[in-house]
Amino acid sequence: MTEPTYVVGHQQPDTDTICSALAYARLKQEQGTAAVAARAGDVNPETEFVLDRWDVDAPELLEDAAGEQLILVDHNEYSQTVTGARDAEVVEIVDHHRIGDVETSSPILFRNEPVGSTATILTQLFDDADETITTQTAGLLLSGLLSDTVVLRSPTTTERDRTVAARLAEIADVDYESYGKELLMHKSKIGEKSPREMVLSDFKEFQFDSRKVGIGQIETVEPSVVLDQRDAVLEAMEEIATERDYAVFLLLVTDLLEEDSTALVAGPEIATVEDGLDTMFSDREAFLPGVMSRKKQVVPPLEDAFY
Amino acid sequence: MTEPTYVVGHQQPDTDTICSALAYARLKQEQGTAAVAARAGDVNPETEFVLDRWDVDAPELLEDAAGEQLILVDHNEYSQTVTGARDAEVVEIVDHHRIGDVETSSPILFRNEPVGSTATILTQLFDDADETITTQTAGLLLSGLLSDTVVLRSPTTTERDRTVAARLAEIADVDYESYGKELLMHKSKIGEKSPREMVLSDFKEFQFDSRKVGIGQIETVEPSVVLDQRDAVLEAMEEIATERDYAVFLLLVTDLLEEDSTALVAGPEIATVEDGLDTMFSDREAFLPGVMSRKKQVVPPLEDAFY
Ligand SMILES: [Mn+2]
Ligand SMILES: [Mn+2]
């Protein structure tokens, strides 16, 4: 039997990561690759809603990727990959983030584009390959796209995302505005989590120079649910920063309706964050008007400040 | 005035690098970017023939890229970039090599595909953008493609390269077999060079773990011109390896007609090369049957052996 190639997204998988793994595994299968959709962690409530809505099983949990062949989707840095990825062979990458630290020995397909979601690029890859996008696949891709772009409201949204969303919505036979609002509702279901679960639910770790920096984000229509527990949340963040030796743990509480964020911060290097984001923290809290995108509005200036 | 964006290939530029810089700068200009084709070093005799044949000026020499905006073509690692690239902003990459060490703060277009030349990918980008490929641009792209694939004979050649070559040849109005042979003739004009110039004329440096490794290649229809000067060539290689602190300096003398290579080696870590290439050097020389591609047949196993 042929060894499978796992199509896998980042840790703390979000809807774009899960739906991209599922959709790209389908495309690769159509093209004759023994591809298997995989995931690096638990499926979040928003994604559960999506899988249920389109009647698709969750990708298989890949606990250790060592020795496997991997296609990375929706990320391209080791600090965000599945366990064992450094000892795996990366055979392809499709992503829409900054260029990270994955190197390969052989030439591979690496398609990274500055668009709103990995799903947007995958739609193009189906078209390039002249493969039909089924209703179900369109539903998955649309969900990834709408989730990552906050229903086309995030500043990462491009014209191409809009065009692709309209086309996918037609194939999937849904109104993307109302379907998108349903998605956001499920993204917001954070009330029942512990502060620690909450701050780690959408979390990424970065290596900036010699320092490790953690950046979490909670996208919600009710920021007060988080901010009302401010002290407990900050305590959880401080604990995690100490355990993992972070220079900084930054949490963005993003108000999806007002399109801004409140930042909370823990760890020793707060001044560097103030410098990078051009803001001042008062009692470890700062308001960031217009900030919705970790990737586009927070990571680049922070990286600059740390180097 | 808008700051220009330089489109630049690797050091020791070859025909694919120069023609890709020229062609992609044209495409970006059509799309409204203030793009300027640039080069990181001297144009080789083969490329001079190409520029003359298609009546195109050589790209501008970029001596120091610090502070500039760069589009990297035909390479994606710092050890091969123009001086100052680490202090420049890389805004796009189009390449067909292994994934190297370039990282960015923001999401960018990075289009790397395992095909025979960067020119092959650029032809696709013209099509994707619905931009016409002029006779002159087709001549440049075809030259890059035929040079890198040794007129479609190299093992890096894919079906797509063949299709694209046929199409470009039609637009450029040449027979690609006979035009390709003219190219190879110029690639082979190495007789008048000093041994040092010869071994450095198509040369790449790699960082494998903590060791620096240099790999040169001379592609020729007359390998005897090089091998008859074996001792002088080895002396030049030993000199360079010492100056630059290389673990190994490997030179591939590739016979374009027989489609094999003779390897010469200098530096202290010869045993690692023997291990990687599964060969034995006798008096610092080894015959490598079927080996034509540094990128595909030599770099990956060497990298494995050094880690
Ligand atoms: Mn994404
Ligand atoms: Mn090339």
Side-chain angles (χ1 to χ4, degrees):
Chain A
M1 235 194 73
T2 328
E3 290 294 316
T5 300
Y6 291 98
V7 184
V8 65
H10 54 76
Q11 289 176 36
Q12 311 285 348
D14 58 17
T15 298
D16 191 33
T17 261
I18 296 288
C19 291
S20 292
L22 289 165
Y24 200 36
R26 288 176 177 201
L27 177 58
K28 297 303 287 186
Q29 285 160 13
E30 291 293 336
Q31 298 177 323
T33 301
V36 174
R39 61 187 162 89
D42 291 341
V43 168
N44 72 30
E46 185 200 56
T47 310
E48 258 171 35
F49 160 76
V50 167
L51 295 174
D52 204 48
R53 169 69 179 77
W54 299 100
D55 195 21
V56 180
D57 287 337
E60 141 180 356
L61 179 65
L62 185 58
E63 306 217 27
D64 184 355
E68 306 291 354
Q69 290 206 312
L70 300 183
I71 293 176
L72 305 184
V73 290
D74 203 35
H75 72 300
N76 78 97
E77 34 198 312
Y78 282 122
S79 61
Q80 297 166 10
T81 50
V82 61
T83 305
R86 281 176 194 274
D87 302 311
E89 187 190 359
V90 175
V91 297
E92 273 191 41
I93 306 173
V94 181
D95 190 18
H96 67 131
H97 292 86
R98 76 187 194 108
I99 306 306
D101 58 354
V102 175
E103 299 189 31
T104 65
S105 323
S106 297
I108 65 164
L109 178 78
F110 187 169
R111 187 140 168 175
N112 197 84
E113 298 184 37
V115 293
S117 72
T118 298
T120 309
I121 306 166
L122 290 177
T123 305
Q124 181 72 50
L125 293 184
F126 271 88
D127 290 347
D128 288 355
D130 237 341
E131 291 290 346
T132 307
I133 299 175
T134 63
T135 304
Q136 202 184 46
T137 301
L140 292 173
L141 290 169
L142 181 65
S143 304
L145 198 170
L146 293 178
S147 169
D148 257 30
T149 60
V150 193
V151 196
L152 307 177
R153 279 170 184 72
S154 152
T156 58
T157 311
T158 64
E159 270 315 295
R160 234 176 96 202
D161 296 304
R162 289 178 209 285
T163 314
V164 168
R167 182 161 156 248
L168 291 171
E170 201 177 306
I171 303 174
D173 195 21
V174 295
D175 175 274
Y176 69 72
E177 266 297 334
S178 58
Y179 177 65
K181 283 209 179 107
E182 264 189 278
L183 271 189
L184 294 196
M185 294 289 294
H186 286 86
K187 186 175 286 202
S188 305
K189 281 192 180 159
I190 45 173
E192 54 267 48
K193 286 187 181 167
S194 73
R196 191 182 172 97
E197 286 168 342
M198 214 187 273
V199 301
L200 288 176
S201 68
D202 176 4
F203 179 79
K204 290 187 177 170
E205 181 179 307
F206 298 87
Q207 180 85 38
F208 294 151
D209 205 2
S210 59
R211 270 81 50 94
K212 288 197 293 180
V213 172
I215 310 180
Q217 183 169 28
I218 299 172
E219 296 174 301
T220 174
V221 291
E222 289 170 297
S224 61
V225 173
V226 184
L227 298 174
D228 287 354
Q229 314 176 49
R230 219 189 82 95
D231 292 348
V233 168
L234 276 167
E235 198 182 314
M237 289 170 61
E238 203 59 71
E239 221 175 79
I240 294 162
T242 306
E243 283 166 24
R244 303 187 180 177
D245 198 24
Y246 287 157
V248 154
F249 185 154
L250 182 71
L251 178 72
L252 303 167
V253 183
T254 301
D255 187 328
L256 294 175
L257 299 178
E258 297 296 329
E259 309 191 1
D260 53 40
S261 295
T262 300
L264 298 177
V265 71
E269 294 204 38
I270 297 181
T272 315
V273 179
E274 292 185 323
D275 190 26
L277 299 182
D278 195 18
T279 190
M280 291 297 289
F281 285 90
S282 161
D283 204 12
R284 301 205 282 171
E285 180 173 328
F287 181 67
L288 305 175
V291 170
M292 297 188 78
S293 168
R294 169 169 50 194
K295 181 173 58 179
K296 203 158 176 171
Q297 297 171 292
V298 175
V299 174
L302 270 198
E303 183 179 22
D304 282 353
F306 273 95
Y307 275 89
Chain B
M1 236 194 71
T2 328
E3 290 294 316
T5 300
Y6 291 97
V7 185
V8 65
H10 54 77
Q11 290 176 35
Q12 311 285 350
D14 58 16
T15 298
D16 190 34
T17 261
I18 296 287
C19 291
S20 292
L22 288 164
Y24 200 35
R26 288 177 178 200
L27 177 57
K28 297 303 287 185
Q29 285 159 14
E30 291 295 335
Q31 298 177 322
T33 301
V36 173
R39 61 187 163 90
D42 292 340
V43 167
N44 72 30
E46 185 198 57
T47 310
E48 259 171 34
F49 159 76
V50 168
L51 296 174
D52 203 46
R53 168 69 178 77
W54 299 100
D55 196 21
V56 180
D57 288 336
E60 137 178 0
L61 179 66
L62 186 57
E63 306 218 25
D64 185 356
E68 305 291 354
Q69 289 207 312
L70 300 183
I71 293 176
L72 305 184
V73 290
D74 202 35
H75 72 299
N76 78 98
E77 33 198 314
Y78 282 123
S79 61
Q80 298 166 9
T81 50
V82 62
T83 306
R86 280 175 195 275
D87 303 309
E89 187 191 359
V90 175
V91 297
E92 273 192 39
I93 306 174
V94 181
D95 191 18
H96 66 131
H97 292 87
R98 76 188 193 106
I99 306 306
D101 59 354
V102 174
E103 299 188 30
T104 65
S105 323
S106 296
I108 65 164
L109 178 78
F110 186 169
R111 186 139 169 176
N112 197 85
E113 300 185 35
V115 292
S117 72
T118 299
T120 309
I121 306 165
L122 289 177
T123 305
Q124 182 73 49
L125 293 185
F126 271 88
D127 290 347
D128 287 355
D130 237 341
E131 290 291 345
T132 308
I133 299 176
T134 64
T135 305
Q136 202 184 46
T137 300
L140 293 173
L141 289 169
L142 180 65
S143 304
L145 197 170
L146 294 178
S147 169
D148 257 29
T149 61
V150 193
V151 195
L152 309 177
R153 279 171 184 73
S154 152
T156 58
T157 310
T158 64
E159 271 314 296
R160 234 175 97 202
D161 295 305
R162 290 179 209 285
T163 313
V164 168
R167 182 161 157 248
L168 291 172
E170 200 178 306
I171 303 174
D173 196 21
V174 295
D175 176 274
Y176 69 72
E177 267 297 335
S178 57
Y179 177 65
K181 284 210 179 104
E182 265 190 277
L183 271 189
L184 294 196
M185 296 288 295
H186 286 87
K187 186 174 286 200
S188 305
K189 281 193 180 161
I190 45 171
E192 55 267 49
K193 285 187 181 167
S194 74
R196 192 182 173 96
E197 285 168 343
M198 215 187 271
V199 302
L200 289 176
S201 68
D202 176 4
F203 178 79
K204 291 189 177 169
E205 181 179 308
F206 298 88
Q207 180 86 37
F208 294 151
D209 205 0
S210 59
R211 272 80 50 94
K212 287 197 295 180
V213 172
I215 310 179
Q217 184 170 27
I218 298 173
E219 296 172 302
T220 173
V221 291
E222 288 170 297
S224 61
V225 172
V226 184
L227 298 174
D228 287 354
Q229 315 176 49
R230 219 189 81 95
D231 292 349
V233 168
L234 276 167
E235 198 183 314
M237 289 170 61
E238 205 58 72
E239 222 175 78
I240 293 161
T242 307
E243 284 166 23
R244 303 186 182 177
D245 199 24
Y246 287 158
V248 155
F249 184 155
L250 182 71
L251 179 71
L252 303 168
V253 184
T254 300
D255 187 327
L256 294 174
L257 299 178
E258 297 297 329
E259 309 191 0
D260 53 40
S261 295
T262 300
L264 298 176
V265 70
E269 294 204 38
I270 297 181
T272 315
V273 179
E274 291 184 325
D275 191 26
L277 299 183
D278 195 18
T279 190
M280 292 296 289
F281 285 90
S282 161
D283 204 12
R284 300 205 283 171
E285 181 174 327
F287 180 67
L288 305 175
V291 169
M292 297 189 78
S293 168
R294 170 169 50 194
K295 180 173 57 179
K296 202 157 173 171
Q297 297 171 292
V298 175
V299 173
L302 270 198
E303 183 179 23
D304 282 354
F306 272 95
Y307 274 89

